[in-house]
Structure formats: C-alpha cells, structure tokens
Amino acid sequence: MIGVKQLRSKNYDQKTTIKKQHTATHPYSGRKAVLATMHGKELAIGPPFHKLLQVSIEIPEGIDTDRLGTFTGEIARKGTPLETLRKKVKIGMEHLGIPYGIASEGSFGPYVYFPFIAQDHEILLWIDDERGIEVVEQKISTDTNYNSKTVSKRNYLGYFLNKSFSPSHALIVRPNSGFIPGLTFKGLKKVNEVKEAIKRCAAASTDGLALVQTDMRAHMNPTRMKVIGELAEKMAHRLATLCPNCSCPGWGIVDVVQGLPCGGCGLKTEQIAQEVYGCPSCDLRKTMPRQDGVTKSSPAYCHWCNP
Ligand SMILES: [Zn+2]
Ligand SMILES: [Zn+2]
C-alpha cells in the first residue's frame, strides 16, 4: 500500500527513466474498471485509460456517491479525502463485482503559495483488489473558477457571473444563514434562474442574504473536468509503468527528499532535492535526482540568505 505516504509526493509528472510499457502485454490490457461517479467523470477519465492502458471504464448505475458528503454541505464529509475516496471506489467495485476501481475527489480553497487566488486540489485513487494495491495521484491547479459571494436580492451579480464563466459553468444558491431543506438550488445556468433563487434564499435567510457559489460538480464545471482529465492521464501513464523488480503496475514517485542546496551559500534548504520512486506492491525504492534537472535552490528559499 502506498496510501497516505504518497500524498507527500506533491505534483510531479511521471516521466521516469524506467521504460514504459504501453503494449498489449500489460496486465491491465483488455480489462474493465469501475468508476464511481454520478457526475459524468467518465468523459475525462475514460479516454486516457482506454488509450494508454486499453482499460474500459464501467459506470455503476444507481449508486449514490453523495451520501459520502457533498460540496454544498447538506451531508458533511467525514474523514480525510483519501478515506472518502477509498469508500467511493469500494462502493463501485462491490456494485459491479469488478476487482479494479477508480474514483476522484476534489477540494477547493485558497492557493497554498498565493492565497488571493483559488486552487483545485484533485486526488485520484486506483484500487486493484487482485494485487492488493492502491495507487494515488494528485494535482493542484489554479485553473479554477472556484468562488463564492453573499448577496442581497438587490445586489448586482454581473462581475461575479463574468468571473465564474457562467452560463457554461453553473452556480449554486442557498440561504447565507445555513442549509434550509428545499432551498439549495444547484446547476443554475441561466441568469433569471439565479436571480429567482437569490430572491427566495435571501428572503428565507435570517440575515437577508443569499450565498452564491460556483457549482464545482464535474458535469457542471468544464474547467474542473479538464483538470480531472489531465490527472487521469497522469494516472494512466503511471499504471502503464511496471515495477522493474516485480512487474506490478503503478511504479512512480512515492516520496521526496528535501535539502536542495542553496545556489548562494550552499546550505541545505527545504526545497526538494531528490524524488523517491516506488512500487505499490514490493519494497523496491529508487532515489533519483529531480526530473526537472534543478540542482540548486534560489537563495530566496534559503533561511541563511533570506532569513
Ligand atoms: Zn543560502
Ligand atoms: Zn515491485
């Protein structure tokens, strides 16, 4: 199991020096995998899995992934995103009785390095019950329309609507004072629908305000769908890469080593010096230089040069 440890591996591409195997001899070739989604994510995840692994994606009908928690908060999310994701994948696998499963989970908030812009943090989990392995890939993208605003029924929403790319990207409106049954309006794509929802939610809210949010569900948000597609491609490449020791699919970065020397004084910084590749099944690990070729840190990240 790689699991949580791998979450530290951050956002690196999977171009290893190990030879990739995209041939029909790959153990996943011709197999089916379950994707637990209610939000059309097969549009983003299906094509790279088919192209790079010859794996076809099956959607379980009638499952409710919303019971694991929703973005709008009617059902609070319990546990870490990875735990939620593991439950989601297992629901799909059990539903269709297929030993391979995948699901994705997104979280949104201020960008870690620059809090004035938003980030979309997507995690993708692959479970292979035949081999007893899990592979996690993740991506942080600042290409997101994630945003919210409280408005009274008289407020003009033009700037917000513009910035959130509506009507190609839907909005959600609810009372600002909290969740009221029957007053969460999702998937709104027309300005008059948004205005009507604001009027009703503001009237019902104890502070007279409505909360307008971008709808982050993948089928309502083409920008997010694109990020999920890029992450799915990264995962398909990784699964196509076999362990040089035991030939298990999923060889890739599982950890990083900090301590990149400062270009000014030579002292170790907290920047990443090396990347650790590993296998999801056996214990083989290989520590390699950064694949982007960077060998010195900028003095800006050095505690000595830039205290
Ligand atoms: Zn320095
Ligand atoms: Zn191995």
Side-chain angles (χ1 to χ4, degrees):
M1 293 279 176
I2 301 179
V4 176
K5 196 178 175 201
Q6 197 180 37
L7 285 171
R8 277 189 251 129
S9 74
K10 298 193 180 155
N11 190 19
Y12 289 91
D13 286 335
Q14 293 304 316
K15 287 173 204 141
T16 76
T17 52
I18 308 295
K19 196 180 154 215
K20 283 178 183 162
Q21 311 214 3
H22 295 298
T23 64
T25 58
H26 190 284
Y28 291 156
S29 182
R31 303 295 300 268
K32 287 175 180 169
V34 186
L35 168 63
T37 180
M38 294 161 63
H39 301 147
K41 289 178 189 168
E42 66 272 19
L43 295 172
I45 295 173
F49 269 69
H50 186 258
K51 189 174 156 222
L52 298 167
L53 291 164
Q54 291 80 51
V55 166
S56 58
I57 295 294
E58 303 274 319
I59 307 297
E61 296 292 330
I63 59 155
D64 181 9
T65 56
D66 274 356
R67 70 185 158 95
L68 300 173
T70 60
F71 290 120
T72 37
E74 303 101 305
I75 304 166
R77 292 188 174 206
K78 292 195 188 94
T80 65
L82 193 61
E83 286 164 356
T84 306
L85 203 43
R86 193 173 286 127
K87 281 184 204 152
K88 207 193 259 188
V89 179
K90 290 282 183 184
I91 287 171
M93 289 166 77
E94 278 157 24
H95 201 88
L96 289 186
I98 291 176
Y100 300 135
I102 190 165
S104 91
E105 186 80 0
S107 56
F108 307 89
Y111 182 43
V112 278
Y113 299 110
F114 190 67
F116 301 104
I117 56 174
Q119 73 171 31
D120 169 6
H121 181 184
E122 296 287 343
I123 308 181
L124 195 57
L125 173 65
W126 170 262
I127 296 181
D128 169 349
D129 266 355
E130 283 185 343
R131 291 168 187 78
I133 60 162
E134 288 185 4
V135 180
V136 182
E137 276 291 358
Q138 49 186 333
K139 184 178 175 78
I140 289 176
S141 175
T142 54
D143 188 12
T144 177
N145 68 327
Y146 177 70
N147 203 353
S148 67
K149 188 175 169 64
T150 50
V151 290
S152 72
K153 58 186 177 189
R154 283 191 189 78
N155 270 148
Y156 180 57
L157 260 186
Y159 173 70
F160 184 81
L161 288 177
N162 241 340
K163 222 181 148 198
S164 311
F165 315 121
S166 266
S168 68
H169 292 60
L171 294 177
I172 294 175
V173 180
R174 69 165 174 85
N176 187 48
S177 55
F179 174 68
I180 299 174
L183 281 180
T184 302
F185 300 93
K186 299 184 190 184
L188 304 176
K189 290 186 169 182
K190 291 184 181 142
V191 176
N192 57 348
E193 289 172 349
V194 175
K195 280 184 179 165
E196 181 60 27
I198 289 172
K199 207 190 288 176
R200 290 181 60 188
C201 292
S205 182
T206 53
D207 59 6
L209 296 172
L211 177 65
V212 184
Q213 298 166 290
T214 45
D215 195 333
M216 303 313 292
R217 294 174 299 162
H219 62 312
M220 292 290 161
N221 198 308
T223 304
R224 179 170 177 224
M225 193 68 104
K226 183 168 163 274
V227 176
I228 294 171
E230 290 161 4
L231 182 57
E233 193 170 333
K234 193 174 160 188
M235 175 67 92
H237 273 294
R238 184 185 189 133
L239 295 176
T241 310
L242 305 182
C243 169
N245 179 42
C246 72
S247 298
C248 179
W251 176 260
I253 294 174
V254 294
D255 208 347
V256 293
V257 180
Q258 290 174 319
L260 191 68
C262 169
C265 69
L267 283 177
K268 283 185 175 181
T269 68
E270 284 169 9
Q271 298 293 104
I272 292 162
Q274 291 170 309
E275 291 156 344
V276 182
Y277 286 77
C279 169
S281 182
C282 75
D283 293 332
L284 183 66
R285 297 288 179 270
K286 279 189 179 177
T287 303
M288 311 226 250
R290 284 170 61 142
Q291 37 167 293
D292 60 11
V294 174
T295 56
K296 291 270 188 285
S297 166
S298 157
Y301 298 108
C302 175
H303 289 315
W304 179 256
C305 299
N306 186 22

